[in-house]
Amino acid sequence: MPGLGNILARFAKRGGEGRPGGSIVVEGARKSSGGRSRSRVIMAMGVFFALYGAIAGRLVYLGLQDVEVTYVPGADRLLAARPDIVDRNGQVLATDIKSASLYAEPRRIVDADEAVERLATVLPSLDYERTYSRLKSGAGFAWLKREITPKQQNEILQLGIPGIGFRPEKRRFYPGGPTASHILGLVNVDNQGIAGIEKYVDDQGLADLRAAGLVSDAALAPVQLSIDLRVQHIVRDELAGAMERYQAIAAGAVVLNAKTGEVVAMASLPDFDPNNPVTAHQKDRLNRMTAGVFEMGSTIKSFTTAMVLDSGKATLESRFDATRPLRIGGFTIRDFHGKGRVLTVPEVFIYSSNIASGRMAEAVGIEGHRAFLKRIGLLDRMQTELPEIATPTEPATWKRINSITISFGHGMSTTPLQTAVGAAALMNGGKLIPPTFLPRTEAEATAIAEQVLAPETSAAMRYLYRLNAEKGSGRRAEVPGYRVGGKTGTAEKVVNGRYSSSKRFNAFLAALPMEDPQYIVLSIVDEPQPERPGIGATAGLNAAPVVANIIRRAAPLLGVKPDFGQEDAATLVSHQ
């Protein structure tokens, strides 16, 4: 058999070499091999074309589908920082802290029912139906709970639910809680300012940067306010005590720098905690100092007296007849504690005569009366940083009856802060300075101030304010060493279109020290009740003591040094 193999091999070799047919067999084999290689290349190319064609087709298909996408505000925003807000001494009033928010990727949720049930063990307040709907939506992203606590985050992590995640966010924190809530305002869940100074900060450009995507989590320079947190605490504390003591429905106060227009402190109660603002939008949480307008009662007589003195129609020695009531068109105007005689200008002021105030308004005339109130800023919407500013109200057409009633504080409504700003002009030499919640120097204030009174008129008003604290309705606002002056205002509130004798809006407007007033302090008490049976509930009995308590506690912090000299109103006017 081996021999046969060798013979066959030699025969094959000779046949391949010696016969013409042998060369034809080899060439055919080579052609057959090349054809197979080309087929393999064509097949490979076909596979690749088919693969990429399938991908392209899928993309086109998806692009043509009308897919419902649930957009969640803030889901695509960067972790944007807000600037800290600090008081005039650098104390932090508002700052950002890091928090986490819970989200889901519904497309990755395996069992929506189970996921909701397990999340509810950590977040009992979770809305089951809404959360289930979001988890079943098939969307790529959905918020489930904003701003959860670190403990809740840890407990949810331990649940191990696929498709559930956490997004780091910034949360606004107010260390003082409600202490300055009406000034600072609020942010929404996306850390955007929606009220107060927070909204003012956004309106200055932060909101535009956020909308353009030009935000970052880097720390921003703090926004400094004119507020003194120490005085702010005192004001709020005294108002809380007054509401309880006089069983009032509301109270408010402001401390204003008479030289610069800076608001040093301002509060309105009831207020809210901006860290948990669930009550912020309730009707009684209104910021009465700037967002409410009220008939300010006899505090307006300050402006009536200044008006008649500044017009040249009267001097401190002038007299006005208050022997009998004024009768106009079926209305009779009387004095609360009438003297039934002719009164000098100082007597008109300290006895708070409605009749004589009406005669002062008649001496100036209707047009002159309205022009003066407009000049001193009581009739126009106030311009300041807070967005919550109400517009004063006045008669559409001023008639004689309107001018007379407005002279003693009825028939025209304005904001308490505007009243304080106007009073600052009465005290500081006649300069009307727009109020501000930001730091301002005296030089800056002088540059924007408007001279609305003669300096001599301002000097006369300082004398009358001090005299009223010594002998008139402002005696309970006296604070030894600080020579306070002021004017009370007890206004009957309108109920069902008629003035009610049982519901009052009380105010006390004060300045200190009267030889050179540095600060204006205004308090309001809404619907106070008698502190004890047998006494009244007029402003001298409640609003004035509130001012006295604020001054007693705050004046040393403001750098107003007490002086226990016996300088009275007569000495004061002789020094002018």
Side-chain angles (χ1 to χ4, degrees), residues 71-78 141 143 167:
Y71 174 71
V72 182
D76 59 346
R77 293 187 179 131
L78 294 175
F141 181 93
W143 286 122
R167 176 184 171 90

Side-chain angles (χ1 to χ4, degrees), residues 312-364:
K313 303 291 185 181
T315 66
L316 288 177
E317 289 73 33
S318 298
R319 297 171 179 270
F320 290 88
D321 186 5
T323 55
R324 61 182 62 87
L326 281 173
R327 291 184 174 83
I328 306 170
F331 294 93
T332 301
I333 296 168
R334 296 182 173 86
D335 285 340
F336 186 64
H337 293 298
K339 298 300 177 182
R341 60 179 175 83
V342 175
L343 303 174
T344 64
V345 168
E347 287 176 328
V348 172
F349 198 78
I350 65 174
Y351 298 145
S352 198
S353 171
N354 294 339
I355 299 170
S357 295
R359 296 197 184 280
M360 287 180 174
E362 289 195 300
V364 174

Side-chain angles (χ1 to χ4, degrees), residues 29-188:
R30 288 175 180 171
K31 289 183 178 180
S32 177
S33 176
R36 286 195 297 271
S37 296
R38 284 192 297 272
S39 297
R40 292 192 188 98
V41 171
I42 292 171
M43 290 178 62
M45 291 176 64
V47 170
F48 278 110
F49 278 124
L51 178 62
Y52 282 109
I55 293 174
R58 182 62 176 172
L59 290 175
V60 172
Y61 171 78
L62 292 175
L64 295 175
Q65 296 305 300
D66 184 16
V67 181
E68 182 180 354
V69 178
T70 302
Y71 174 71
V72 182
D76 59 346
R77 293 187 179 131
L78 294 175
L79 189 63
R82 296 184 65 81
D84 285 354
I85 300 176
V86 300
D87 82 337
R88 65 188 306 115
N89 301 311
Q91 295 295 312
V92 175
L93 301 174
T95 189
D96 278 349
I97 59 174
K98 292 182 179 180
S99 67
S101 290
L102 178 67
Y103 73 88
E105 297 175 75
R107 292 174 183 170
R108 295 181 54 204
I109 296 297
V110 178
D111 188 331
D113 268 321
E114 182 184 4
V116 176
E117 289 176 0
R118 296 175 70 181
L119 288 173
T121 62
V122 179
L123 304 171
S125 62
L126 203 65
D127 187 314
Y128 190 99
E129 294 298 331
R130 181 182 299 176
T131 304
Y132 178 80
S133 176
R134 288 181 176 178
L135 294 182
K136 292 290 288 183
S137 67
F141 181 93
W143 286 122
L144 298 184
K145 180 72 173 177
R146 305 294 290 272
E147 298 178 354
I148 63 175
T149 67
K151 179 182 178 182
Q152 290 171 331
Q153 181 181 7
N154 182 57
E155 291 177 352
I156 293 172
L157 279 171
Q158 294 181 18
L159 295 176
I161 305 174
I164 297 294
F166 304 92
R167 176 184 171 90
E169 292 196 290
K170 298 285 189 181
R171 177 184 178 185
R172 208 58 167 163
F173 176 65
Y174 303 88
T179 303
S181 56
H182 279 122
I183 296 174
L184 297 174
L186 291 168
V187 297
N188 62 15

